[in-house]
Amino acid sequence: MPETQNGQRSGIEDPLKDMKIRGEIKNQRKHRVRVALSVDFDAISAHLGTGKHPDNNMSDYSQGIFAGKVGALRLLRLFKKLGIADKMTWFIPGHSIETFPAEVKQIVQSGCEIGLHGYSHEGAHQMTEEQESDVLRKCIHLATELTGKKPIGYRAPLYQIRETTISLLEKNGFEY
């Protein structure tokens, strides 16, 4: 039996050991792991759209303000420290772009990608097709104004989409 790092027997044998010894396993490919790193910068918008509820109170909105003013920048500093800030995608609702412009500019300056995430975290089923189109156009405008380039990524609030969402994204040149 193979030993573990602490010198104890693990009880687990390498099932391919005999084949490796006989040379039957050749040209093994080294697999590369790919990871997608992203943040949803919902802040207050999470309580305006899909999270809107009569029981929401000032504490809920306070958490959203804290997320926008403090939490997002803490994450950004962490990502910079880890050397991954420019490899991130931040999905930002239009409401967060307009409410936290200084914080969002710092995020953009990190070199990350900006993707859309609705305006006020509204779900596709909460809107008519025309409203959904209007929201998408407004958010494309906000993100393009912010970054200087049209966004290509979209993450639906609460992952709620419908066929019209897909058609709108394709029509507006989104890649994912």
Side-chain angles (χ1 to χ4, degrees), residues 10-174:
S10 70
I12 299 172
E13 291 289 331
D14 179 355
L16 303 178
K17 181 179 176 186
D18 291 336
M19 292 174 72
K20 289 177 186 173
I21 292 171
R22 292 191 308 263
E24 294 174 13
I25 297 179
K26 297 177 184 170
N27 299 325
Q28 287 187 0
R29 293 178 112 181
K30 299 232 181 213
H31 296 285
R32 291 182 59 191
V33 175
R34 296 185 187 261
V35 178
L37 302 170
S38 64
V39 175
D40 290 357
F41 187 177
D42 296 342
I44 300 168
S45 71
H47 299 293
L48 301 177
T50 54
K52 185 176 182 179
H53 190 273
D55 292 341
N56 287 356
N57 58 46
M58 290 309 293
S59 175
D60 296 318
Y61 297 104
S62 175
Q63 290 172 7
I65 293 168
F66 181 86
K69 291 283 186 189
V70 179
L73 297 180
R74 284 183 181 173
L75 283 174
L76 182 58
R77 280 193 304 275
L78 174 66
F79 299 150
K80 286 180 179 180
K81 182 178 177 181
L82 297 172
I84 60 172
D86 62 339
K87 295 169 180 61
M88 302 292 301
T89 300
W90 288 70
F91 292 96
I92 308 179
H95 183 274
S96 296
I97 292 172
E98 292 183 324
T99 307
F100 305 103
E103 292 78 10
V104 172
K105 283 180 184 156
Q106 288 183 54
I107 292 167
V108 170
Q109 289 169 351
S110 75
C112 68
E113 177 186 11
I114 301 298
L116 298 188
H117 194 49
Y119 180 81
S120 60
H121 210 269
E122 59 286 306
H125 298 287
Q126 293 174 296
M127 301 179 285
T128 66
E129 186 176 342
E130 183 179 347
Q131 289 170 325
E132 186 178 17
S133 178
D134 290 345
V135 166
L136 185 62
R137 278 197 313 274
K138 178 178 179 71
C139 293
I140 290 170
H141 173 75
L142 289 170
T144 303
E145 210 172 55
L146 175 69
T147 65
K149 58 186 176 186
K150 193 174 172 185
I152 60 167
Y154 177 83
R155 177 178 289 157
L158 289 183
Y159 310 104
Q160 293 179 353
I161 62 170
R162 55 186 180 194
E163 287 182 27
T164 55
T165 308
I166 295 169
S167 298
L168 286 169
L169 294 172
E170 288 175 341
K171 179 178 157 186
N172 285 282
F174 282 80

